[in-house]
Amino acid sequence: MRAYRSLEWHDSVIRMLDQRLLPDRIEYIDYTDYRDVAGAIKAMVVRGAPAIGAAAYGLALVASHSTARAVAALHDELVAAANVLHAARSTAVNLAWALNRMLARTAAPNLQSVDQIRQAVLREAHAIAKEDIRTNKQLDLNALPLVPDNATIIHHCNTGALAWVDYGTALGVIRTAHEHGKRVQVYVDETRPRFQGARLTAWELKQLGIPHSVIVDSASGHLMRTAGVDLCVVGCDRVAANGDTANKIGTYNLALVAYAHGVPCYVMAPTSTIDLSVPNGDAIEIEERAPDEITCVGDEQVTPDDVQVKNPAFDITPARYITAIITEMGIAYPPYEQRLREMVERAEAARNAQESASG
Ligand code: MRU
């Protein structure tokens, strides 16, 4: 597969693949101002988890272009920019996770000059991007035994290389299974209203040479009843401490249908997506997006004028409908609380150990 990077850093510029234009056109946009980066996250030029990278590199832009002479002044600029970037999208926790991690790094007592902070910010943004690749690859390997040798799989939204820095989570599992010689056939939920499945996941699967058919989101019940489906794999935007999972709208319906048919539904969740500070799904804010995502398909309006619209971008799947949650630290089965906590703590300890080892 030709490697299209969702986002790259070149000489104080962030270059992003404009995902709104795929699969028709491959175009990149360069950003030098963090406010434009926040706008790009909101408009979904970049989406899924690369928004993390965009946010982290957004702070690197601030540091790199700042004229501040004092450490405190630069730190204030970074905090203000982090608030703007954070406000761009609310449900996905990785955004906040990356920004907090970046700010914690810049506040380290050993950084005593503006230049040192500048370098530390960029180093941390690169570290987050690298870690993302490593983490997802491990997660994909951990999930591999859950995929039968001949597997028919339903996948929702886009969770592949476009949704991460490289490889991805749920789509990464499918890719890994294919690379390990398993015969996989994927039903790709189109994922209304923005068609991340039809536009992005199908595009990635085509390049990977993995057999797939795009389906409307509501076809999953029919296919489970008539064609046979072995498993559903989905990503996530935030997992609560009890395992309730926020993911792209439609995931809950898919999980319920899977539950009714005895089909396992697996959530792929890097530990950075597990938010132990929220006890359950009710405490997760659900982003509401603009009505025209529903009233229009492309340039065509499909509803009467002035129709009322409700457009939640995500939903919560209660933990009881999730068969297992797979992270880079292993597999969690219900009840989730203790195992998720343990995996998050182990991941943090491993990260801290690595940081101290690299000085
Ligand atoms: O609104 P999007 O396209 O940014 O959706 C977020 C997601 O990518 C999905 O919910 C995905 O399943 C989470 S895994 C990156």
Side-chain angles (χ1 to χ4, degrees), residues 53-77:
Y57 284 117
L59 290 191
L61 279 184
V62 174
S64 145
H65 295 280
S66 167
T67 53
R69 284 162 184 268
V71 166
L74 177 54
H75 198 253
D76 288 351
E77 278 181 36

Side-chain angles (χ1 to χ4, degrees), residues 88 226 235 257 324:
T226 57
V257 170

Side-chain angles (χ1 to χ4, degrees), residues 19 41 44 46-52 89 91-92 94 136 155-160 162-164 168-170 191 194-196 199-200 233-238 246-249 251 268-270 273 287 289 293 313-314:
Q19 298 198 23
I41 294 172
M44 292 172 69
V46 69
R47 42 152 294 282
I52 313 169
R89 295 197 73 187
T91 302
N94 299 64
N136 287 348
H155 174 277
H156 193 67
C157 195
N158 176 265
T159 62
L162 289 169
W164 295 88
T169 53
T191 316
R194 291 188 68 107
F195 298 105
Q196 288 93 332
R199 295 191 304 107
L200 307 176
V233 289
V234 297
C236 54
D237 295 89
R238 188 183 301 230
N247 192 47
K248 180 51 57 190
I249 191 78
T251 305
M268 306 302 152
T273 313
E287 177 187 354
R289 292 191 61 88
E293 290 188 347
F314 301 92

